[in-house]
Amino acid sequence: MTTHSVGHMESMKEFNNAPKGAQTMLNVLALIRIVADGTKAIPELQGATGLPRSTVHRLLQALKSEGYLRVTPAGLGLGPTLIGLGFSALSSNPWTT
C-alpha cells in the first residue's frame, strides 16, 4: 500500500463518525479525490478506500454516468462535469497573487 493509500484509509476511518445518511456522499467524494490524486485503476481505489468491490463499482458507475469521472486510455480520470465545476469555481473566485 502506498503512502497515498494509507492517508486515504485514515480519512476513510473518519467517515465512521459521519452524520447518518452522509456515508455514501463521503465515499463518493473520497473516490473523486483519490482519482484526482492520480489513482487510475479500480483495484487501487478499492485498496485506498477499503470499500467492497461492488460498492466501488456502483459508485463509479454513478460518477461516470453523471460526467464526474470518465474512462481514459490510462484508466479513470476527472470528467467534464467536474472539470466544468472547477472552471466555474475559478471564475467566481479568482486566485489573487
Side-chain angles (χ1 to χ4, degrees), residues 43-61:
E44 292 172 353
L45 289 171
Q46 288 174 246
T49 61
L51 294 172
R53 180 179 144 171
S54 60
T55 300
V56 171
H57 279 277
R58 179 175 45 84
L59 295 176
L60 290 177
Q61 187 60 36

Side-chain angles (χ1 to χ4, degrees), residues 67 79-91:
T81 301
L82 195 55
I83 293 168
L85 289 171
F87 281 128
S88 293
L90 279 175
S91 67

Side-chain angles (χ1 to χ4, degrees), residues 4 8 11-12 15 23-42 44-46 48-49 51 55-56 58-70 75-86:
H4 248 2
H8 290 298
S11 64
M12 294 296 292
F15 294 170
Q23 184 72 40
T24 300
M25 181 185 68
L26 293 173
N27 288 336
V28 165
L29 292 172
L31 286 170
I32 291 170
R33 209 174 300 116
I34 295 166
V35 169
D37 285 346
T39 300
K40 306 288 184 200
I42 293 172
E44 292 172 353
L45 289 171
Q46 288 174 246
T49 61
L51 294 172
T55 300
V56 171
R58 179 175 45 84
L59 295 176
L60 290 177
Q61 187 60 36
L63 287 165
K64 289 186 290 187
S65 71
E66 294 298 317
Y68 287 91
L69 295 179
R70 63 189 173 106
L76 290 168
L78 299 180
T81 301
L82 195 55
I83 293 168
L85 289 171

Side-chain angles (χ1 to χ4, degrees), residues 89-97:
L90 279 175
S91 67
S92 64
N93 298 301
W95 293 95
T96 58
T97 56

